[in-house]
């Protein structure tokens, strides 16, 4: 049941990413060059909806649909690894004009460069795992 729910929500999320043009490298490039506010407005809207929705659900003491656990938010202080990770993520985003989030949506659209993003994402994940194991 959990996998089916995840698949439905994942497919819906991929559709929204493609519909909002969040899989288009040219739109990503325009955003990074501060030529287009499309992405920033989408991110701000997602942040606002997510924050408001989470607060409302917590106020109503709602439980998650799949696991039945109470809706909660865990916070942690900013650490060096957060800063390093965000810098590396931003560099990768700027160099490739691609974000790992819409990889599946790109592949679902038949966009071949999604494979390149996937390879980069997997390589980065493997490198991160190896560095974390050494630390």
């Amino acid at each position: 049941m959990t996998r089916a729910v995840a698949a439905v929500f994942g497919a819906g999320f991929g559709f929204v990413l493609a519909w909002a043009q969040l899989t288009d490298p040219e739109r990503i490039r325009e955003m990074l060059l501060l030529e287009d506010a499309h992405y920033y407005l989408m991110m701000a809207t997602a942040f606002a909806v997510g924050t408001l929705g989470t607060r409302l659900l917590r106020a109503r003491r709602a439980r998650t649909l799949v696991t039945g656990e109470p809706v909660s938010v865990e916070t942690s202080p900013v650490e060096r690894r957060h800063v390093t990770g965000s810098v590396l993520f931003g560099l990768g985003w700027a160099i490739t004009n691609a974000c790992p989030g819409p990889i599946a949506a790109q592949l679902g659209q038949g966009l071949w460069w999604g494979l390149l993003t996937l390879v980069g994402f997997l390589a980065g994940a493997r490198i991160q795992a190896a560095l974390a194991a050494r630390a």
Side-chain angles (χ1 to χ4, degrees):
M1 174 68 173
T2 303
R3 289 181 189 251
V5 171
V8 169
F9 277 99
F13 183 64
F15 173 80
V16 170
L17 288 175
W19 175 73
Q21 299 176 348
L22 298 177
T23 58
D24 184 1
E26 187 59 28
R27 290 288 268 196
I28 293 170
R29 184 182 137 309
E30 290 170 353
M31 181 239 356
L32 292 170
L33 293 173
L34 303 176
E35 295 174 352
D36 187 2
H38 178 79
Y39 277 86
Y40 298 113
L41 295 171
M42 293 288 291
M43 286 185 231
T45 302
F47 180 79
V49 169
T51 300
L52 179 62
T54 301
R55 287 181 183 264
L56 289 172
L57 289 170
R58 287 176 57 200
R60 295 187 61 159
R61 293 190 163 96
R63 296 190 166 273
T64 61
L65 294 175
V66 177
T67 64
E69 297 174 15
V71 173
S72 65
V73 176
E74 295 181 24
T75 59
S76 64
V78 176
E79 298 176 17
R80 181 177 163 189
R81 64 190 178 100
H82 299 134
V83 175
T84 304
S86 62
V87 168
L88 289 173
F89 180 84
L91 285 172
W93 206 3
I95 290 168
T96 63
N97 286 340
C99 172
I103 291 173
Q106 288 174 337
L107 295 175
Q109 286 179 281
L111 303 174
W112 65 269
W113 62 80
L115 290 172
L116 300 175
T117 308
L118 178 62
V119 168
F121 171 76
L122 294 174
R126 178 164 272 186
I127 291 167
Q128 186 279 332
L131 291 174
R134 271 201 314 186

